[in-house]
């Protein structure tokens, strides 16, 4: 089985011994600066994305928003050793999956994010299996419209 692909977005390359280099044993990590990462996200799919801060020229909110616009279903984790609790809460509300811990815990967090996405994708696929093509086209797959469809079937 092929290693899970992880996109690590940072303005500076990782130094030897950092999480990015030690996690490369488990994951196929592609390290890219933000502008290059945006182009790659338009062409490739990744299992998870890590945003590494500080990122010169980017606030965490700005970079998160740009990434989510290009890859809305991919879990985003953040590595920011200087983030406050307030920052963590604000970013969690904006859709960050988790703040990345250091060491072995980071691999477990990434694996959890990937597994949760896989489970969500399978559940969504299972919901659509019984739908007719016209239902998928008219109703779509937003949570609200699926709920309306479920109520109508009752």
């Amino acid at each position: 089985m092929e290693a899970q692909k992880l996109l690590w977005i940072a303005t500076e390359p990782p130094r030897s011994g950092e999480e990015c280099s030690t996690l490369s044993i488990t994951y196929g990590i592609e390290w890219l600066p933000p502008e290059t990462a945006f182009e790659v996200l338009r062409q490739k799919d990744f299992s998870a994305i890590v945003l590494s801060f500080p990122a010169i020229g980017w606030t965490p909110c700005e970079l998160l928003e740009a990434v989510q616009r290009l890859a809305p279903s991919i879990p985003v984790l953040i590595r920011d050793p200087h983030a406050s609790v307030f920052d963590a809460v604000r970013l969690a509300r904006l859709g960050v999956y988790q703040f990345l811990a250091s060491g072995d815990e980071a691999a477990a967090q990434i694996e959890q994010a990937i597994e949760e996405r896989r489970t969500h994708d399978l559940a969504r696929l299972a919901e659509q299996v019984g739908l007719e093509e016209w239902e998928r086209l008219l109703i779509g797959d937003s949570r609200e419209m699926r709920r309306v469809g479920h109520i109508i079937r009752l």
Side-chain angles (χ1 to χ4, degrees):
M1 187 169 137
E2 188 179 316
Q4 300 285 342
K5 291 189 296 182
L6 183 66
L7 177 59
W8 195 288
I9 300 176
T11 54
E12 294 182 14
R15 291 180 285 274
S16 180
E18 285 187 353
E19 290 96 348
C20 183
S21 56
T22 56
L23 288 169
S24 63
I25 297 166
T26 309
Y27 302 99
I29 298 179
E30 196 164 334
W31 173 87
L32 295 170
E35 292 76 14
T36 308
F38 300 152
E39 290 301 316
V40 171
L41 273 173
R42 288 183 180 95
Q43 300 166 8
K44 289 184 181 179
D45 188 35
F46 292 89
S47 301
I49 299 170
V50 175
L51 305 180
S52 187
F53 290 97
I56 299 167
W58 292 92
T59 67
C61 293
E62 291 171 342
L63 189 53
L64 175 65
E65 182 182 332
V67 167
Q68 286 179 328
R69 232 177 307 151
L70 294 171
S73 65
I74 299 175
V76 178
L77 298 100
I78 289 187
R79 180 188 159 274
D80 188 351
H82 306 294
S84 67
V85 173
F86 175 77
D87 294 332
V89 170
R90 182 170 40 116
L91 289 166
R93 287 183 178 156
L94 292 174
V96 166
Y97 182 79
Q98 277 187 349
F99 270 74
L100 199 59
S102 57
D104 294 336
E105 199 174 325
Q109 288 176 304
I110 292 169
E111 189 57 42
Q112 180 184 10
I114 292 169
E115 188 57 37
E116 199 168 296
R117 176 188 181 207
R118 187 179 306 128
T119 302
H120 182 265
D121 288 350
L122 288 173
R124 208 172 77 231
L125 182 63
E127 285 177 0
Q128 291 182 354
V129 167
L131 296 178
E132 297 291 330
E133 183 65 24
W134 65 268
E135 282 183 287
R136 268 194 294 268
L137 290 172
L138 289 176
I139 297 174
D141 63 355
S142 73
R143 179 188 302 152
E144 294 82 11
M145 291 306 292
R146 288 192 314 249
R147 189 168 180 212
V148 169
H150 177 73
I151 291 169
I152 291 170
R153 283 190 204 93
L154 293 176

